[in-house]
Amino acid sequence: MRNLISITDLSVQEIEELIRTAYRIIEDPAHFAHVCDGKKLATLFFEPSTRTRLSFEAAMYELGGHVLSVAGAGSSSASKGESVADTAKVVSCYADIIAMRHPKEGAPQVAAINASIPVINAGDGGHNHPTQTLADLLTIHREKGRLQDLTIGLCGDLKFGRTVHSLIQAMSRYTGVRFVLISPEELMLPSYVKHDVLEKYHVPYEETTDLESAMPSLDVLYMTRVQRERFFNEEDYLRLKDSYILTPQKLKNAKPDMNILHPLPRVNEISVAIDDDPRACYFKQVLNGKYMRMALILKLLEVEA
Ligand code: NCD
């Protein structure tokens, strides 16, 4: 039985396979409308979410399946002190697959060890968010036609931003990819990602605090929100929250075909004046996330379609 806890649980070939399935879904959604008839997805979200939970739910409905949902720790037995391990065993009796978001790093891994059905990590603390990465990869693939030979700028909260960590793990496996890491000193990429991924696999990268000077070299600019909920004190958050605000003015030196991505929710990192720029891809990313989650559910449930 397969789980998706880290994006590296999938090989490059398997990611290609998921992307191919997503393209088939986009072309002919009707073909997939009943392939999961009678199957149930449980969404266990112990942290706020709009997109990821609704996206998983929409994905399962569009495959013909059903959804069982626990939204918020306050409304589940976690508030009575139930362990993640026990919750996973219990939910395995009701559902065919679990998508779990949890504030504690590693919680979906614990769930996977204890569940008898596949578990998908829908975000664990400041650690990983592999299904957002699937959305990001399909978006880059649809926009650029490739995942190789790209300079990717990651900007904002690279310390706590779990989508950034998973995206780096995924993109580091493609040839010709280099990263420009743009953040305030205090929100730089954690050394475990730097050492265990970038340096280990000899992926070229540079670190800077200056978005504008990095801009001209970028093929993709991945903006992120400063992760307020992971800060130890509000003062630090307030000091850092406006470090980078992308405005039309700042895009002047960007390549005409640079793609702007953001996992959303946006606070104020991207001015709404950019939303109509053809380079803005963040709402396309949302839709792509649904297609990739559909492809992932099919793969983990071993449904041939
Ligand atoms: C991201 C997350 O939850 O990490 N949101 C999402 O799932 N699209 C990004 C964020 O919250 O900033």
Side-chain angles (χ1 to χ4, degrees):
M1 196 191 53
R2 295 287 300 273
N3 304 294
L4 179 64
I5 304 304
S6 156
I7 193 67
T8 52
D9 293 344
L10 294 167
S11 68
V12 170
Q13 287 75 10
E14 286 176 314
I15 287 181
E16 264 168 40
E17 224 178 87
L18 291 176
I19 290 177
R20 271 201 304 275
T21 307
Y23 277 111
R24 285 176 52 224
I25 294 169
I26 293 165
E27 263 165 45
D28 187 8
H31 173 79
F32 294 87
H34 294 288
V35 290
C36 283
D37 275 0
K39 301 276 188 200
K40 283 171 280 176
L41 162 78
T43 54
L44 308 179
F45 277 61
F46 300 103
E47 225 187 28
S49 164
T50 308
R51 250 156 312 277
T52 307
R53 185 163 66 85
L54 294 187
S55 167
F56 267 112
E57 297 186 359
M60 195 49 162
Y61 284 125
E62 290 191 25
L63 295 168
H66 302 279
V67 175
L68 308 172
S69 192
V70 169
S75 59
S76 78
S77 286
S79 65
K80 301 182 192 167
E82 185 168 60
S83 66
V84 167
D86 282 4
T87 303
K89 286 180 187 158
V90 168
V91 176
S92 296
C93 301
Y94 303 138
D96 299 288
I97 186 164
I98 293 172
M100 174 182 275
R101 169 169 291 190
H102 203 285
K104 285 217 176 84
E105 287 80 1
Q109 170 84 53
V110 172
I113 291 165
N114 288 280
S116 55
I117 59 177
V119 174
I120 301 170
N121 176 6
D124 62 327
H127 189 217
N128 280 169
H129 193 348
T131 65
Q132 179 62 46
T133 299
L134 293 177
D136 304 339
L137 296 180
L138 179 60
T139 305
I140 296 170
H141 198 276
R142 291 184 80 182
E143 298 301 317
K144 291 279 189 259
R146 66 180 196 278
L147 295 173
Q148 298 84 4
D149 300 318
L150 293 167
T151 297
I152 301 175
L154 298 152
C155 177
D157 188 347
L158 309 188
K159 180 179 182 187
F160 297 117
R162 55 195 174 192
T163 66
V164 167
H165 307 157
S166 293
L167 185 59
I168 289 176
Q169 288 175 340
M171 290 300 299
S172 290
R173 298 189 291 182
Y174 296 92
T175 54
V177 166
R178 54 185 288 274
F179 294 102
V180 184
L181 307 173
I182 308 149
S183 72
E185 300 277 343
E186 287 128 299
L187 299 178
M188 278 160 68
L189 192 71
S191 56
Y192 79 89
V193 185
K194 238 182 271 174
H195 298 143
D196 298 353
V197 185
L198 296 175
E199 279 158 23
K200 188 166 168 195
Y201 298 105
H202 309 292
V203 183
Y205 72 94
E206 61 187 86
E207 292 183 293
T208 177
T209 54
D210 183 4
L211 172 60
E212 274 163 285
S213 68
M215 195 70 89
S217 68
L218 305 179
D219 298 305
V220 173
L221 172 59
Y222 195 94
M223 295 294 296
T224 62
R225 170 180 75 88
V226 176
Q227 305 279 300
R228 181 179 204 157
E229 64 275 37
R230 315 250 181 257
F231 277 71
F232 293 110
N233 70 67
E234 185 75 0
E235 267 161 46
D236 287 345
Y237 168 73
L238 293 173
R239 189 164 46 77
L240 292 167
K241 73 182 177 59
D242 296 328
S243 300
Y244 302 99
I245 299 176
L246 191 63
T247 57
Q249 172 67 25
K250 290 194 185 143
L251 280 177
K252 285 229 164 80
N253 293 327
K255 290 187 183 176
D257 64 345
M258 183 189 78
N259 302 110
I260 305 164
L261 275 68
H262 189 307
L264 302 180
R266 150 176 71 184
V267 181
N268 62 349
E269 317 74 57
I270 302 181
S271 148
V272 291
I274 289 174
D275 294 359
D276 294 329
D277 189 302
R279 291 171 287 194
C281 293
Y282 25 96
F283 293 111
K284 293 182 188 172
Q285 248 170 300
V286 177
L287 193 56
N288 289 331
K290 184 183 70 178
Y291 297 133
M292 284 303 263
R293 290 183 176 103
M294 291 170 78
L296 177 67
I297 290 170
L298 293 177
K299 180 173 177 62
L300 296 183
L301 288 180
E302 299 177 8
V303 173
E304 294 290 334

